[in-house]
Structures are given as C-alpha cells and as structure tokens.
Amino acid sequence: MIILKSKREIDLMHKAGQLLANCHKEIAKIIKPGVTTLEIDMFVDEYLSKHGATPEQKGYKGYEYATCASINDEICHGFPRKTPLQNGDIVTIDMVVNLNGALADSAWSYAVGEVSSEAARLLLITEEALNRAISQSVVGNRIGDIGYAIQSYVEAEGLSVVRDFTGHGIGRTIHEAPTILHYGEQNKGVRLKEGMVITIEPMVNLGAWQSKMDDNGWTARTVDGKLSAQYEHTIAITKEGPLILTKQ
C-alpha cells in the first residue's frame, strides 16, 4: 500500500533531509586520500547525534554502521572500514537520517583526490541521470517515466544501469511502496500522486550492469570489477512539482 504524506509530514521529512544534506556538505570537506570510511562513519554518527538525529540504518536487519560506504567497484552497501582511501578512488556515502521520527535518505558519490577522466565522466553522468529522473517526478507521470529517463540517457552514453537495486517509497520506515525502478518504459507502472515521497537512486556502472554479492551478505559489486557510482535524493511529489527534500 502506498502511503500518501500530509504537508506536515513532508515538512518534517524536509527538515530531516536538510540535516542530511548538510552532513553530506561536511563529508565533502573531509574526504581525501588517507581518510578512512570508518572515520567518515564515526563523523556522521557524531554529527547526527549533535543535531538531535539518529542514523536509521544502524541496527536495520543487523547492519552495524551509520553509513554505507561503497568504494570503486562496490555498487552499494559497502561496509565502512579502516583501509585509507587512495588518490583516484571514488566512494559513495549513503545514509538515512531519522529526525524526530521523520526519515530522509540520500547517497552521494565523491572523487578522492584526482580521479581519472573515465571516473569523472561516470560521476557526471550518474548525477545527471538523477536530475533527469527528478524532472519526471510530477503528478500524473508514471514510475516508468522515471526509469526511462535514467536508462535512455545512461545507455546512450555507453554506460549501464544496475537493475538489482531500486529506489522506494519512504516515510516512517526506510522502505515503503512503491518500488522505483531505474530502467523501464514510458507511461508504464504506478501513477505518481500528490503526497507520495520516494527515493530515486540510480547506480551506474562503467561496464556490465550485473552485480555479485560479497560473502558478508550486504555488499554488492560489479561483476567485471569496473567502477560504479550512485546519487540519491528523497523526493516529495507535490502539485508544484518535485520537491527535493535532501537538496544540498
């Protein structure tokens, strides 16, 4: 069942989203070669606590960390670790913030030091794919319009869209209906209505779109070892158009 949110609920989620966005801005300042993703995770935990919020995924199905930190060929759900980031890495930091019971979810991919032109292009295309999808997130459109906007653009650029992981509705729990595919056909799927709040979070690979799972049961990575990037926002569907609750 899709749960439509009231203006009050969206306002509360917006506050959570702005805290999350501000946290990402702080992360951008500290990511550099030599920093570990475990240090970033500890920073996020402390930052949210200082602002009266909690990391919602900590403890979710036994997950131990405040963030997911996925490096290079890791698509998503990478564990924060003590290994220092190296010049040329790309790393995606994904988090869900709970502020007074309202949730917001956003992932951002970061360049570590000087990255290759290939990696820089991957980051640009993935972020643009998200932006194109958001532009389709209007009352009356369908979920297929979101997926088509991502897939048609990414594949025209010679890259691939991960299909094993999706966006989702969000509200009082992390994952609600509907499922947001990052591929698809125009004018197909659930119609978007005022009050829906969803995440759009395309994961884009330099090589094949398929993924494989690490032994930890959480971390997905590319099957060919090529780079993957992800950008994610939480979006409210409003009469005035898409409202990006996690806009930086």
Side-chain angles (χ1 to χ4, degrees), residues 15-248:
K15 290 178 180 177
Q18 287 308 290
L19 177 59
L20 196 164
N22 289 336
C23 188
H24 268 303
K25 289 179 184 178
E26 295 302 316
I27 291 170
K29 297 175 185 177
I30 62 177
I31 283 190
K32 61 182 179 180
V35 171
T36 73
T37 50
L38 192 58
E39 289 171 335
I40 293 167
D41 188 77
M42 292 170 63
F43 168 81
V44 169
D45 216 345
E46 293 171 4
Y47 184 91
L48 296 183
S49 178
K50 185 170 68 175
H51 291 86
T54 56
E56 183 70 8
Q57 70 240 51
K58 194 172 187 178
Y60 178 77
K61 295 185 177 180
Y63 191 76
E64 298 179 10
Y65 304 98
T67 64
C68 296
S70 306
I71 303 169
N72 293 334
D73 67 325
E74 295 173 342
I75 295 170
C76 60
H77 306 153
F79 286 6
R81 68 207 78 169
K82 295 180 180 178
T83 307
L85 293 168
Q86 298 181 7
N87 188 62
D89 285 342
I90 61 173
V91 56
T92 301
I93 305 296
D94 186 8
M95 72 183 94
V96 183
V97 169
N98 183 327
L99 181 63
N100 300 320
L103 303 185
D105 187 358
S106 178
W108 215 250
S109 288
Y110 296 92
V112 181
E114 297 293 325
V115 301
S116 68
S117 58
E118 190 177 47
R121 181 171 178 268
L122 172 65
L123 296 177
L124 286 171
I125 290 171
T126 309
E127 186 175 359
E128 174 62 16
L130 172 60
N131 291 334
R132 291 182 180 219
I134 291 171
S135 72
Q136 295 298 314
S137 303
V138 297
V139 173
N141 272 7
R142 294 183 181 271
I143 287 175
D145 298 317
I146 293 172
Y148 179 83
I150 295 168
Q151 183 182 16
S152 60
Y153 169 66
V154 167
E155 292 182 352
E157 294 291 337
L159 305 181
S160 67
V161 179
V162 174
R163 301 189 180 202
D164 298 328
F165 301 92
T166 68
H168 48 86
I170 185 170
R172 294 183 179 178
T173 60
I174 296 178
H175 296 116
E176 296 182 354
T179 297
I180 308 297
L181 301 179
H182 301 122
Y183 60 94
E185 299 179 34
Q186 291 175 300
N187 202 34
K188 298 286 187 180
V190 173
R191 195 175 295 279
L192 300 175
K193 297 181 180 179
E194 181 184 3
M196 291 172 66
V197 181
I198 60 174
T199 73
I200 304 175
E201 45 187 295
M203 289 148 265
V204 175
N205 297 346
L206 280 180
W209 64 261
Q210 289 88 350
S211 66
K212 59 184 179 181
M213 192 67 66
D214 281 1
D215 291 340
N216 63 25
W218 282 93
T219 306
R221 64 178 70 237
T222 60
V223 293
D224 50 18
K226 294 187 178 181
L227 296 177
S228 184
Q230 179 189 16
Y231 290 88
E232 173 189 14
H233 275 311
T234 299
I235 312 294
I237 310 301
T238 78
K239 286 186 295 188
E240 292 76 29
L243 176 63
I244 305 173
L245 303 184
T246 49
K247 187 174 183 178
Q248 292 185 28

